[in-house]
Amino acid sequence: MREKISALVDGELSGSDLNAALTLLHSPGEFATLDAYHRIRHLLRAGTSEPMMTDDFAARLRERLCNG
């Protein structure tokens, strides 16, 4: 499961794999994993020219998942 979430954060999923990962995020524990991976990715990419996600990314994603 965590491999799918990691791949989701890295933008490596599409199709049914993407849908499966998004379904996992309905679990609070897995959503916390997404948030942790997002923060780690953010820290690792600091100082690069790649655009960074905002700090409220996980909260906004959870809201969109819960509200459809």
Side-chain angles (χ1 to χ4, degrees), residues 1-16:
M1 283 194 238
R2 295 199 174 186
E3 293 84 16
K4 284 192 186 284
I5 293 173
S6 178
L8 173 67
V9 170
D10 291 338
E12 298 172 350
L13 298 179
S14 62
S16 62

Side-chain angles (χ1 to χ4, degrees), residues 27-63:
S27 163
E30 297 304 328
F31 194 81
T33 299
L34 170 74
D35 188 45
Y37 286 179
H38 163 70
R39 291 175 189 278
I40 291 167
R41 182 175 191 263
H42 183 82
L43 289 171
L44 290 174
R45 303 212 181 224
T48 68
S49 60
E50 185 173 318
M52 305 273 249
M53 291 184 216
T54 60
D55 288 338
D56 66 341
F57 167 78
R60 289 184 297 117
L61 178 60
R62 183 165 184 84
E63 182 179 329

